[in-house]
């Protein structure tokens, strides 16, 4: 019983290890830290986008007030 | 209420019979489309193509036959309906009437298909039942689309634009379902499930029409 | 400032999405490889689209209940931003499909397009395309609002059974879909492990909130335009 359990465990484990070895990921990109450049680029774009939307929001706010005053 | 609904249906049928040109127009439309298909295919088509052609023709016949159901109504006649019936009665009558018309059209086009393109079905009765279910489904959706499009100015094209994406899943369902009649083997119970699904869709459309039509009605 | 807490939330969530989305560990799956991270961006577009369409549906119902004109504007703007997200979802989907589903030469884009989720998405976009055409064909404001609300409600209510039915008719390439006969190299629900969920759900919320923000901007612009028109 115990042996069987061990066997299956071993088998399963080896399958997992095998699967992990086989699949290629961008590990180099991660290990040499260049991934941070990608993150930084995306973050800059995102922040820029949000800033833009925020400014439009403020502008509409102002116009809303102006038109509200006129009335 | 039931009396009034039946009354409107009867009146619509009478009108349809009296102004024969519209009915014959659709009839001619069916005949010529099927004839074009017949001529453009050099031999009798295989079952899948036959099936696809059949349902697409059904779709277009429906767009042409049903689309006019609201577009044609003159303002005066609408006003008349307005005085004698409630919106729910009116839409029910319209739905019933259009389903009947669609059934007649389906019968005719099925007959013409058999004549021109051969009969690939192994179980014609079953196919007929599916055609009835499918025809009612298509006509129900397009009745409501027609009611909506009638409110807009440029209308006939609008019916197709609005209706096609909505009817598409049902049409796929029907094409799949009608393969039963072509002796394709289905999983146990799959047929019942498919039939049930298309009937449920029909019920859903009817319920939605009942709820939504009153908003289109008042003017 | 209190009212805009969700805008800040959206901002923070998306920053978190990008940082965690690129840096956290993901399951190592064949063919998908690193592209599994697209889940945080591409799939969120679809979720956002459906949620925005749902909001549009809600406002259409509200319009028919109250006949207040602003609800019609709400429904319209949410639908248009939803469609925009849907188009983005389509475009990003094309890019992703090219490296995952179309792996051997014989598979063309045409064979992939018959995939149920794509059909569903196409139907949704076509429906809302028709919705905008319908709106444009009216000159009378009240009639337009009423009729397009009716169509919106009907179409949206029909969309759900459709999305449920289609996978039962056509085999799916998408993971975890009922009736999908596996053998497809995308990720499964099982594979969406805890660490991915930790990023995925915030990402959905973040992107959706951004969509809502843009929608509110559009709504306020339309309302302003309306005000100016009525003043003149």
């Amino acid at each position: 019983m115990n042996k069987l359990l061990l066997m299956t465990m071993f088998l399963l484990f080896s399958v997992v290890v095998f699967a992990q070895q086989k699949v290629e990921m961008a590990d180099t990109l991660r290990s040499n830290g260049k991934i941070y450049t990608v993150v930084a680029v995306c973050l800059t774009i995102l922040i820029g986008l949000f800033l833009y939307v925020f400014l439009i929001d403020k502008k509409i706010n102002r116009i809303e007030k102006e038109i509200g005053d006129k009335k | 209420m039931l009396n009034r609904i039946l009354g409107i249906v009867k009146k619509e049928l009478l009108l349809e019979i009296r102004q024969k040109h519209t009915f014959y127009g659709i009839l001619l439309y069916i005949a010529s489309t099927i004839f074009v298909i017949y001529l453009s295919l050099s031999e009798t088509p295989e079952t899948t193509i036959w099936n696809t052609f059949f349902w697409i023709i059904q779709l277009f016949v429906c767009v042409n036959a049903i689309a006019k159901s609201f577009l044609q109504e003159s303002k005066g006649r609408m006003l008349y309906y307005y005085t004698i019936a409630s919106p729910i009665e009116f839409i029910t009558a319209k739905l019933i009437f259009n389903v009947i018309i669609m059934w007649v059209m389906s019968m005719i086009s099925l007959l013409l298909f058999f004549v021109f393109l051969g009969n690939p079905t192994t179980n014609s009765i079953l196919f007929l039942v599916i055609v009835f279910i499918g025809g009612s489904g298509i006509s129900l959706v397009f009745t409501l689309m027609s009611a909506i499009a009638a409110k807009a100015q440029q209308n006939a094209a609008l019916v197709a634009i609005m209706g096609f994406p909505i009817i598409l899943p049902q049409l796929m369902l029907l094409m799949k379902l009608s393969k039963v009649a072509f002796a394709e083997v289905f999983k146990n119970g799959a047929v019942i499930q498919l039939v049930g699904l298309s009937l449920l869709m029909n019920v859903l459309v009817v319920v939605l029409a009942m709820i939504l039509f009153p908003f289109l009605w008042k003017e | 400032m209190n009212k805009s807490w969700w805008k800040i939330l959206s901002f923070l969530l998306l920053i978190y999405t990008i940082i965690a989305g690129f840096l956290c560990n993901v399951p190592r799956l064949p063919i998908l490889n690193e592209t599994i991270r697209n889940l945080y961006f591409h799939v969120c577009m679809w979720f956002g689209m459906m949620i925005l369409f749902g909001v549009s549906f809600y406002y259409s119902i509200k319009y028919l209940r109250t006949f207040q004109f602003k609800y019609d504007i709400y429904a319209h703007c949410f639908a248009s931003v939803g469609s925009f997200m849907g188009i983005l979802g389509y475009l990003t989907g094309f890019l992703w499909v090219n490296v995952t589903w179309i792996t051997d030469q014989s598979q063309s884009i045409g064979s992939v397009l018959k995939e149920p989720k794509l059909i569903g998405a196409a139907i949704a976009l076509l429906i809302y395309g028709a919705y905008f055409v319908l709106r444009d064909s009216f000159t009378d404001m009240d009639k337009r609002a009423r009729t397009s609300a009716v169509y919106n409600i009907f179409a949206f209510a029909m969309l759900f059974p459709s999305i449920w039915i289609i996978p039962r008719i056509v085999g799916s390439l998408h993971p975890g879909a009922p009736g999908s006969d596996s053998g497809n190299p995308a990720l499964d629900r099982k594979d969406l492990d805890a660490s991915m969920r930790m990023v995925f759900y915030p990402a959905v919320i973040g992107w959706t909130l951004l969509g809502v923000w843009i929608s509110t901007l559009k709504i306020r612009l339309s309302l302003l335009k309306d005000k100016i028109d009525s003043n003149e």
Side-chain angles (χ1 to χ4, degrees), chain C residues 32-94:
Chain C
L32 272 179
N33 303 347
E34 289 283 355
T35 66
I36 196 170
R37 293 175 198 276
N38 274 351
L39 182 85
Y40 306 138
F41 306 99
H42 161 75
V43 182
C44 294
M45 290 297 127
W46 293 122
F47 273 66
M49 176 188 88
M50 283 319 286
I51 294 170
L52 289 182
F53 282 169
V55 175
S56 169
F57 171 68
Y58 168 76
Y59 279 116
S60 277
I61 294 177
K62 213 161 174 186
Y63 175 76
L64 287 184
R65 292 213 146 163
T66 58
F67 289 113
Q68 275 184 304
F69 187 63
K70 64 176 181 186
Y71 291 131
D72 176 57
I73 290 177
Y74 284 16
H76 176 217
C77 291
F78 277 111
S80 73
V81 176
S83 311
F84 179 66
M85 285 181 99
I87 291 165
L88 287 181
Y90 238 104
L91 291 177
T92 51
F94 270 130

Side-chain angles (χ1 to χ4, degrees), chain B residues 144-145 148 151-153 158 161-162 165-166 168-169 172-173 176 197 201 204-205 208 212 215 218-219, chain C residues 64 67 119 123 126-127 130 133-134 137-138 143 146-147 150-151 153-154 157-158 161-162 164-165 169-170:
Chain B
L144 194 62
M145 289 303 112
I148 292 175
K151 294 277 153 191
Q153 266 76 37
L158 212 52
I161 295 174
M162 292 190 302
I166 293 177
L168 190 82
M172 286 164 65
L173 187 74
K176 176 94 174 178
L197 267 180
M201 287 294 270
L204 180 68
V205 176
L208 281 172
L212 293 174
F215 291 107
K218 333 172 192 158
E219 192 136 342
Chain C
L64 287 184
F67 289 113
I119 298 173
I123 290 175
L126 281 176
I127 283 175
V133 171
L134 180 70
S137 64
F138 285 100
K143 231 171 165 186
R146 199 131 42 95
T147 314
V150 168
Y151 181 68
I153 293 169
F154 180 70
M158 292 295 286
S162 305
W164 190 76
I165 283 175
I169 309 173
V170 212

Side-chain angles (χ1 to χ4, degrees), chain B residues 98-114:
Chain B
N98 281 334
V99 167
I100 294 171
I101 289 283
M102 191 61 202
W103 281 352
V104 175
M105 297 295 169
S106 310
M107 292 291 289
I108 293 165
S109 61
L110 190 62
L111 201 74
L112 287 171
F113 257 78
F114 283 165

Side-chain angles (χ1 to χ4, degrees), chain A residues 23 26-27 30 57 61 64, chain C residues 7 22 28 34 213 220:
Chain A
V23 179
D27 289 322
R30 248 153 260 280
D57 196 321
N61 252 339
E64 266 175 350
Chain C
K7 293 169 187 169
F22 281 121
R28 290 163 170 259
E34 289 283 355
W213 190 0
R220 286 160 69 190

Side-chain angles (χ1 to χ4, degrees), chain C residues 18 45-46 60 64 91 98 100 129 136 144 156 166 178 180 193:
Chain C
I18 284 185
M45 290 297 127
W46 293 122
S60 277
L64 287 184
L91 291 177
N98 272 322
T100 50
D136 280 344
R144 164 168 70 192
F156 192 77
I166 294 168
S180 71
D193 66 2

Side-chain angles (χ1 to χ4, degrees), chain B residues 17 27 64-65 73 89 111 119-120 129 173 179 187 199 208:
Chain B
I17 293 166
L27 208 63
N64 279 287
E73 306 283 16
E89 287 162 3
L111 201 74
N119 180 1
V129 173
L173 187 74
K179 284 183 181 156
K187 254 188 285 179
L199 286 178
L208 281 172

Side-chain angles (χ1 to χ4, degrees), chain A residues 19-20 22-27 30 35-36 38-39 42-43 46-47 49-50 53-54 56-58 60-64 67-68 70-71, chain C residues 1 7 10-11 14-15 18-19 22-24 26-30 33-34 36-37 207 210 213-214 217-218 220-221 224 227-228 230-231:
Chain A
Q20 270 182 352
K22 212 176 133 196
V23 179
E24 217 173 279
M25 300 291 252
D27 289 322
R30 248 153 260 280
I35 185 74
Y36 295 113
V38 178
V39 175
C42 289
L43 279 183
L46 189 79
I47 291 169
L49 215 87
F50 265 88
V53 176
F54 175 71
I56 296 175
D57 196 321
K58 257 178 78 174
I60 294 179
N61 252 339
R62 213 177 52 227
I63 298 173
E64 266 175 350
I67 288 187
K70 253 189 223 164
K71 263 200 164 176
Chain C
M1 216 56 210
K7 293 169 187 169
S10 159
F11 180 60
L14 285 181
I15 293 228
I18 284 185
I19 294 174
F22 281 121
L23 296 180
C24 279
V26 289
R28 290 163 170 259
L29 297 171
N33 303 347
E34 289 283 355
I36 196 170
R37 293 175 198 276
W207 288 113
L210 179 60
W213 190 0
I214 296 172
L217 291 181
K218 261 184 85 94
R220 286 160 69 190
L221 268 179
L224 279 177
K227 228 178 203 172
I228 293 169
S230 61
N231 272 1

